[in-house]
């Protein structure tokens, strides 16, 4: 087969293309909120799908799936019997979990940033590569990312999936901390990665993670829980907010700010809505509120200052709207402020940084603090970079924070680093080829991907 | 340039005549010989002629950026093809595919196996290996076993000597308590021992160099890191105190510097330019950031020095001979015709004259009442007090002493005139009878026998008048005695200036 391509010059990264040798590799970055996949050498992933998936469990008595083709035309629907757990139907992609379906449960394969359930992983990857990107994975080397605290068993399982199920010619698994440092153009960095469920601080030296210096906590989940409490519980100024998702609201009438919402709920759907879907939909509302409204004060908490800040208006799907003033900052403050009264609070970002640095060689601390990389979708709090800078300067006078201004770069930094790495000419000797996989087995993953 | 018939024809739009006139024929040949450049009308060209290439170039059509050649522009597009290649850095037979120009080397698929461009970056640092025999003979060390040492060397190879990574990934038994410096110490120690005990194929210098590159001082490293930790773990109070102390010491230093400077200025005012403080160390205060105002002051001081009478300084610099220069320097200087004027200590400001032109050291006259007379006497001698043809050190010194002598002479003469006048007046008062005839002359002749001053010397004044110059060896300080003795002789010439003084004598004699 002879293919002819008119090459367009990629002017985005001229200094990188000098060392680049494109082998049409694919990069897959699986995070708690989304799965990113695309060609190595691109600056944005081609397909971004939620990692969360919807499924309808098989009835215990009948395993004949009843296809409702109308609702699954966008999502990949397939009989999935991998690993013994049977889904009658699985709904993936942008219209997967977010579309209401009677009796649909919601699942997420990741727990604390690690893949706990590998059953939906292959359908997710298949959906991203074959249904959205329309590529044949058996023709492309594939680079997959992993968090620093990934287990050897997990990465070997991933290699197995890629080689055995997708039949890829070559595979590599790279660390997100390293890739985030690469995405910022640094070989050595202190990567502060705030995702949807986990916040981690990873020291990277010469392209290697210092595992002893890794510090991570489920801080974003804690922030999420705090926000949810804040919204649901009534305050002196407003009643508790009912987090009805759009999908369950039949009609609503516009009301003034702060007034009780007037809306009707789709009673026909309520009965068939599963608990997991309801939980997922409500947490999505909370997340959207956080993303729209929440912020971090520049210089630290100050009651008078907070009272004077501009409130921000936000309207919930039920039609209820309110102005959020100090509450906006209250949420972000938990990233920095240790609350001694709450024993469940995870370590704050400065505490994580201190913990990470303490485990590093004293000589390295200066270097790392001069190369802080702030990344991850959870770091997009308004004012977070400035506040972090102010906090760090207090203890380390030579702090320099690199926080990409472009939200795409911030959210998909791991993917971007993988895209850079897998397009380098010098990287191609590191791929684990199918031949090597068959010869050495699982051990090759640990040997090659240090 | 005259218009040819053809030009008229073309201007009037007449048809070209086949039978051209006689004179126009050679001209046409001329124009065809030098072709009219592009972008210029024929009429204009015949006016300005062929000698205007610049103008013609300007009138030419502007050139735009070249259009990119696309496939549609006739030639077909460059063909690229997805071509498998082999990376020689890989040990397996993985064939990855990349895009390559199909035209470049259509049948080089096999050739590429050896020349993948990025394979050359796959370099491995040299590392050491040792045998069991070598280990038992040289490398035994208490906490380390052969297995642990092997493991360390394996890690070193695996991570290419990145010690931070090695230390991070190393999993030594917990009872060892190795830290990164222990690992480094062990590794480099083993390497040093191996190199020392093995036969070395190259020269000793390279061996020493290699050993030097492998040296590692564990205690020093640990101390350094302890310092680093201490530096980092300072409390804000300590930092503030440090800052305050630093500012205080800066302030003290500045005060001291100012004090010294003032003291030096005072010393100069009191005891002359040359007597700076000998311990005034050259220190421009740059590292501690002296204020620009102080610098300005300092700079202002320099022209002030230049304005002050130069004579003493010049005398000092000239009269201080090369005696203080060390012997070897003297020999060197003599060989290279270098004359040193400073006293060579070099640390004090006063003793460190910058480079100067010798002509700048020519003394100039003080602007006072007698200046005119000095100049006059110089012109009488046929000399100029401000110019020397060859201002060597000796000449300047001689000129200087000459000026001094002339000044003294003029002053003495002035004094003498005054005294003589007084004498005359007194005489007149004493002897009113003889006053008339002496008054008419204006200048009296001294009747008294001339008193020779006590130092002695030949008296040159045959007329006994003020012009007489005594080339004696009297010193300047004897003026008062001379004056009181009403001596008409002037003795001021230094021993250094004997030749000049004799010249002056001869002149005077001639005049006399």
């Amino acid at each position: 087969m002879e293919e002819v391509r008119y090459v367009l010059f990629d002017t985005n990264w001229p200094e990188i293309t000098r060392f680049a040798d494109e082998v049409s590799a694919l990069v897959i970055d699986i995070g708690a909120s989304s799965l990113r996949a695309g060609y190595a050498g691109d600056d944005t992933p081609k397909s971004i799908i939620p990692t969360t998936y919807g499924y309808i469990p098989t009835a215990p008595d009948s395993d004949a799936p009843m296809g409702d083709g109308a609702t699954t035309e966008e999502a990949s629907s397939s009989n999935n019997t991998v690993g013994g757990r049977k889904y009658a139907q699985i709904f993936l992609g942008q219209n997967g979990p977010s579309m209401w379906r009677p009796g649909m449960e919601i699942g997420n394969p990741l727990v604390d940033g690690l893949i706990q359930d590998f059953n939906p992983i292959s359908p997710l990857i298949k959906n991203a590569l074959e249904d959205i990107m329309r590529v044949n994975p058996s023709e492309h080397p594939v680079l997959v990312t992993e968090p620093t605290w990934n287990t050897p068993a997990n990465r070997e399982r991933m290699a197995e999936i890629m080689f055995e199920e997708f039949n890829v010619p070559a595979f590599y698994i790279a660390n997100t901390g390293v890739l985030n440092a690469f995405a910022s153009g640094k070989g050595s960095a202190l990567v502060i990665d705030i995702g949807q469920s986990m916040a981690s601080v990873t020291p990277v030296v010469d392209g290697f993670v210092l595992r002893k210096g890794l510090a991570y906590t489920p801080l974003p989940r804690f922030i999420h829980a705090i926000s949810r409490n804040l919204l649901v519980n009534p305050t002196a100024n407003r009643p508790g907010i009912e987090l009805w998702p759009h999908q369950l609201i039949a009609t609503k009438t516009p009301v003034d700010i702060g007034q009780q919402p007037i809306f009707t709920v789709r009673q026909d759907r309520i009965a068939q809505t599963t608990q997991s879907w309801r939980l997922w939909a409500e947490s999505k509302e909370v997340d959207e509120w956080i993303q729209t409204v929440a912020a971090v004060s520049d210089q630290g908490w100050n009651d008078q200052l907070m009272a004077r800040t501009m409130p921000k208006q936000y309207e919930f799907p039920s039609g209820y709207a309110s102005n959020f003033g100090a509450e906006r900052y209250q949420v972000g403050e938990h990233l920095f402020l240790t609350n001694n009264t709450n024993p469940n609070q995870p370590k704050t970002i400065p505490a994580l940084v201190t913990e990470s640095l303490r485990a590093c060689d004293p000589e390295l601390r200066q270097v790392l603090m001069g190369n802080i990389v702030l990344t991850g979708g959870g770091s997009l709090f308004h004012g977070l970079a400035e506040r972090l800078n102010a906090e760090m300067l207090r203890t380390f006078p030579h702090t320099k924070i690199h926080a990409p201004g472009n939200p795409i770069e911030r959210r998909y930094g791991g993917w971007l680093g993988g895209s850079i790495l897998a397009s380098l000419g010098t990287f191609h000797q590191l791929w684990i080829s199918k031949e090597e996989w068959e010869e050495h087995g699982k051990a090759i993953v640990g040997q090659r991907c240090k | 340039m005259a218009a040819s018939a053809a030009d008229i024809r073309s201007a009037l739009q007449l048809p070209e005549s086949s039978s051209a006139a006689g004179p126009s024929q050679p001209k046409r040949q001329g124009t065809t010989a030098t072709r009219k450049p592009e972008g210029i009308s024929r009429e204009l060209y015949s006016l300005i002629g062929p000698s205007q290439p610049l103008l013609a170039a300007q009138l030419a059509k502007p050139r735009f950026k070249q259009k990119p050649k696309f496939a549609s522009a006739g030639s077909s597009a460059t063909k690229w093809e997805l071509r498998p290649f082999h990376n020689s850095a890989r040990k397996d037979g993985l064939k990855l595919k990349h895009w390559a120009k199909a035209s470049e080397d259509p049948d080089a698929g096999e050739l590429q196996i050896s020349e993948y461009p990025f394979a050359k970056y796959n370099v491995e640092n040299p590392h050491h290996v040792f045998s069991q025999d070598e280990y038992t003979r040289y490398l035994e060390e208490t906490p380390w076993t052969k297995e642990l040492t092997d493991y360390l060397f394996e890690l070193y190879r695996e991570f290419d000597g990145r010690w931070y990574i090695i230390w991070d990934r190393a999993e030594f038994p917990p009872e060892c308590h190795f830290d990164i410096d222990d690992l480094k110490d062990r590794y480099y120690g083993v390497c040093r021992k191996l190199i020392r005990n093995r036969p070395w194929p190259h020269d000793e210098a390279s061996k020493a160099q290699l050993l030097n590159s492998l040296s590692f001082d564990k205690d020093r490293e640990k101390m350094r890191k302890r310092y680093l930790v201490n530096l980092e773990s300072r409390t804000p109070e300590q930092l503030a105190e440090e800052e305050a102390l630093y500012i205080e010491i800066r302030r003290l230093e500045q005060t001291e510097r100012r004090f010294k400077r003032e003291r030096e200025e005072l010393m100069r005012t009191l005891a002359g330019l040359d007597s700076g403080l000998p311990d005034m160390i050259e220190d421009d205060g740059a590292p501690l950031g002296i204020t620009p105002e102080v610098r300005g002051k300092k700079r202002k001081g320099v022209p002030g020095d230049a304005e002050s009478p130069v004579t003493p300084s010049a005398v000092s610099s000239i009269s201080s001979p090369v005696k203080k220069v060390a012997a070897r320097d003297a020999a060197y200087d003599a060989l290279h015709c270098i004359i040193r004027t400073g006293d060579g200590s070099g640390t004090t400001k006063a003793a460190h004259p910058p480079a100067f032109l010798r002509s700048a050291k020519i003394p100039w006259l003080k602007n006072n009442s007698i200046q005119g007379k000095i100049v006059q006497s110089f012109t009488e001698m046929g000399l100029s007090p401000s110019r020397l043809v060859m201002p060597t050190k000796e000449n300047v010194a001689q000129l200087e002493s000459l000026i001094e002598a002339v000044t003294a002479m003029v002053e003495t003469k002035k004094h003498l005139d005054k005294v003589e006048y007084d004498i005359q007046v007194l005489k007149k008062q004493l002897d009113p009878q003889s006053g008339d005839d002496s008054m008419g002359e204006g200048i009296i002749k001294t009747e008294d026998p001339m008193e020779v001053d006590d130092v002695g010397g030949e008296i040159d004044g045959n007329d006994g008048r003020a012009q007489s110059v005594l080339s004696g060896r009297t010193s300047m300080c004897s003026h008062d005695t001379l004056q009181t003795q009403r001596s008409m002789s002037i003795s001021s010439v230094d021993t250094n200036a004997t030749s000049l003084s004799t010249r002056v004598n001869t002149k005077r004699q001639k005049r006399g």
Side-chain angles (χ1 to χ4, degrees), chain B residues 174-428:
Chain B
E175 67 271 11
C176 292
H177 298 298
F178 291 142
D179 68 8
I180 186 166
D181 292 318
D182 293 320
L183 301 187
K184 278 187 186 176
D185 187 46
R186 175 63 176 164
Y187 178 81
Y188 290 125
V190 167
C191 289
R192 282 200 304 272
K193 279 175 190 157
L194 285 177
I195 289 166
R196 277 204 199 97
N197 292 306
R198 279 175 180 171
W200 183 253
H202 313 293
D203 59 334
E204 282 302 306
S206 67
K207 182 175 180 176
Q209 198 185 352
L210 186 62
L211 281 173
N212 215 20
S213 73
L214 290 171
S215 65
F216 182 78
D217 189 345
K218 187 168 84 178
D219 297 330
R220 196 185 155 87
E221 282 293 300
K222 289 200 166 177
M223 191 173 72
R224 195 171 66 82
K225 284 188 183 166
R226 258 202 321 278
Y227 280 144
L228 214 59
V229 171
N230 283 345
L231 204 65
E232 274 175 14
S233 55
R234 287 172 300 178
T235 61
E237 292 79 40
Q238 282 172 322
L239 277 176
E241 193 182 337
E242 235 170 67
E243 185 72 13
L245 283 174
Y246 180 71
I247 289 170
E248 178 71 15
I249 203 166
R250 261 181 61 174
R251 208 175 52 77
L252 282 177
E253 271 178 6
Q254 273 187 2
T255 317
E256 193 185 7
R257 207 176 290 124
R258 199 180 57 233
F259 176 70
K260 267 193 175 172
R261 200 172 46 245
E262 278 170 3
R263 207 174 132 202
E264 197 199 23
E265 270 168 20
L266 192 67
M267 289 289 278
R268 282 192 187 177
T269 331
L270 289 179
L273 188 73
D274 208 16
S275 56
L277 290 181
D279 61 343
M280 182 77 177
I281 293 160
E282 284 270 13
D283 178 19
D284 57 351
L288 285 177
I290 198 166
T291 52
E293 166 238 314
V294 175
R295 288 202 168 179
K297 242 189 199 174
K298 212 177 252 179
R299 205 162 290 148
K300 246 196 271 170
V302 175
D305 287 352
E307 276 156 24
S308 65
V310 149
T311 331
S313 128
V315 166
S316 82
S317 66
I318 288 160
S319 62
S320 66
V322 260
K323 66 191 172 197
K324 282 182 187 171
V325 182
R328 57 177 178 85
D329 285 346
Y332 178 85
D333 291 350
L335 194 67
H336 294 91
C337 304
I338 294 170
I339 296 160
R340 295 183 191 278
T341 51
D343 60 5
S345 65
T347 50
T348 65
K349 268 182 186 170
H352 186 70
F356 59 88
L357 282 176
R358 182 70 69 184
S359 57
K361 289 288 181 189
I362 294 176
W364 59 80
L365 301 169
K366 266 193 276 188
N367 195 7
N368 53 18
S369 54
I370 62 166
Q371 193 196 15
K373 284 182 181 167
I374 295 173
V375 174
Q376 194 191 343
S377 47
F378 263 92
T379 36
E380 279 172 18
M381 289 184 278
L383 291 170
S384 159
S386 59
R387 197 175 63 83
L388 277 180
V389 177
M390 188 65 73
T392 61
K393 186 181 166 194
E394 287 78 17
N395 286 354
V396 170
Q398 284 184 350
L399 178 67
E400 207 171 286
S401 48
L402 176 64
I403 287 174
E404 246 176 69
V406 172
T407 310
M409 182 192 79
V410 171
E411 271 177 3
T412 317
K413 183 177 174 292
K414 220 168 87 182
H415 210 84
L416 179 73
D417 285 350
K418 192 171 172 283
V419 171
E420 275 186 349
Y421 181 74
D422 287 348
I423 291 170
Q424 209 179 347
V425 171
L426 288 173
K427 267 189 180 166
K428 244 175 134 179

Side-chain angles (χ1 to χ4, degrees), chain B residues 35 63 71 74 78 86 89 113 133 267 321 353 408 445 469 489 503:
Chain B
R35 270 198 62 82
R63 290 172 65 88
T78 316
H86 182 262
I113 291 172
D133 178 47
M267 289 289 278
K445 282 189 176 181
V469 172
S489 66
R503 263 179 66 197

